[in-house]
DNA sequence: CGCGAAGTTGAAAGTTTTCAACGAGGGTGG
DNA sequence: CCACCCTCGTTGAAAACTTTCAACTTCGCG
């Protein structure tokens, strides 16, 4: 982890990409800019560990991160995959609780880091900001809801199809003939996130590729026929060619 | 669904059991009491459906409820099982979004129902209340986190053990020699919540019973040896007798 | 008393995991 | 600049697990 010293203007431009602060008053932005730090993390480095005191809020502005938890039997379960812009563990930070899980950067990343005390006082002064925070939490709750629902899918093919469709929907690219999805983490982490083994994910990709629904090119997945994926969700027996 | 007309004093006593409002000022409690409705639902009745406009907040004060979503293939997935006291879909209500899932009462239940507009203005007047709301959302986020993590458990036995331990921990009863857990819904719904078939849950209970870890008595589960369950979580090979 | 929903149990079928081996890619050090 | 190593990803075959299908029992309720 390295602390960068960017020009205030650059810092300000990063700041405006963070959804929570995008509509702040100039005064608040000024305060934030003066106290925020721009941090650089290597791939494989940890942002925080479960149990750490949450005294700073990190906003991911570039790169990628994952939140994972270590289960009693020693294995790890990925709870969340983040692409920028995203807030990391904002709920724990605002509540002043220790982090409930670990944060690992899956690529070289940049984060904006804000001291908790300052955020608290800003929220207390500005009801608008409180509502936006509640909105953030709602959004995350909704994501988790979707994730749990998708774990209900019977087999691996369905879960993967559901995941791919979810990502293309969230991506800003045209979903026309051949949308492209770049996986936000190595495939083994995607597999863990989806609740299957890396081998199963590999086989599932191969199967979808053979069916003509996608084309796999390293971490990039080309969606050739979204309709095929959608059919898999509708009926788990899409009579593959 | 039937609207009851309780005495204000009774209504007030229900109100104080709702965590979000337990520390409200007398004035706020007065306002809430005058606008709140006490509703009675039958087992099998719906509180709301996905897509409905969330214009009231329901607090479960007795009985039981489940939140479930219908997947594209027509099957249902239970996302949450509620025992009183609990708030139902508070995030959607405060954000003014339509409900993202369905609410079904698993037993005859009583809820306190508050009009959204009133809650919003109360939160805006009272920063303390806003923080408690954020705390509520944090709590729910945390629950979902645990749930997703528990879906990471390899086999059904481990998931069930994890679930049982989670419930005893949340229950106020002594966890001494033989704690007792009453399932908050029929076993088929518990199974769905855990992401397994009812048959598998039945077999798993039988297995745990044979191992001497629990005793199943209808919807009541006696935890005979919590340590056995904990061992299952630590190592998925607890050399069963 | 009898019906229907819920739960249990058995055996076969289907899926995923596990174990193992191999190939490709990136980074490091000689 | 190349060899080496380690991680990641892929593929195969066997093992383990869950689901499915079906029959039967239990329980609650009219």
């Amino acid at each position: 982890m390295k602390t960068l010293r960017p020009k205030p203007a650059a810092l300000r431009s990063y700041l405006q990409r963070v959804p929570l602060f995008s509509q702040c008053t100039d005064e608040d932005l000024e305060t934030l800019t003066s106290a925020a730090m721009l941090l650089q993390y290597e791939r494989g480095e940890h942002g925080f560990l479960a149990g750490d005191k949450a005294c700073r809020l990190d906003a991911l502005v570039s790169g990628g991160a994952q939140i994972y938890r270590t289960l009693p039997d020693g294995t790890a379960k990925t709870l969340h995959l983040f692409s920028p812009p995203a807030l990391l563990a904002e709920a724990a930070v605002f509540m002043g609780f220790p982090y409930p899980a670990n944060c690992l950067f899956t690529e070289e990343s940049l984060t904006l880091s804000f001291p908790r005390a300052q955020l608290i006082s800003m929220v207390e002064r500005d009801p608008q900001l409180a509502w936006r925070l509640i909105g953030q939490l709602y959004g995350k709750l909704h994501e988790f809801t979707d994730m749990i629902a998708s774990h209900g899918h019977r087999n691996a093919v369905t879960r993967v199809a559901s995941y791919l469709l979810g990502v293309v929907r969230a991506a800003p690219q045209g979903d026309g003939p051949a949308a492209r999805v770049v996986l936000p983490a190595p495939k083994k982490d995607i597999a863990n996130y989806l609740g299957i083994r890396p081998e199963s994910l590999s086989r599932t990709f191969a199967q979808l590729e053979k069916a003509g629904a996608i084309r796999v090119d390293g971490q990039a997945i080309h969606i050739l026929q979204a309709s095929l994926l959608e059919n898999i969700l509708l009926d788990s027996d899409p009579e593959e060619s």
Side-chain angles (χ1 to χ4, degrees), chain A residues 117-136:
Chain A
Q118 196 179 62
L119 296 173
I120 300 290
S121 68
M122 273 181 62
V123 169
E124 283 182 340
R125 280 200 316 272
D126 183 357
Q128 282 292 331
L129 192 56
W131 281 115
R132 270 208 298 287
L133 175 56
I134 291 173
Q136 281 284 323

Side-chain angles (χ1 to χ4, degrees), chain A residues 156-196:
Chain A
V157 186
T158 319
R159 275 212 287 278
V160 172
S162 163
Y163 172 72
L164 288 177
L165 287 174
V167 180
V168 283
R169 234 170 265 134
Q173 330 177 27
D175 53 354
R180 201 180 66 120
V181 162
V182 177
L183 301 179
K187 288 200 186 110
K188 72 177 170 63
D189 295 322
I190 304 282
N192 189 324
Y193 176 74
L194 293 175
I196 58 182

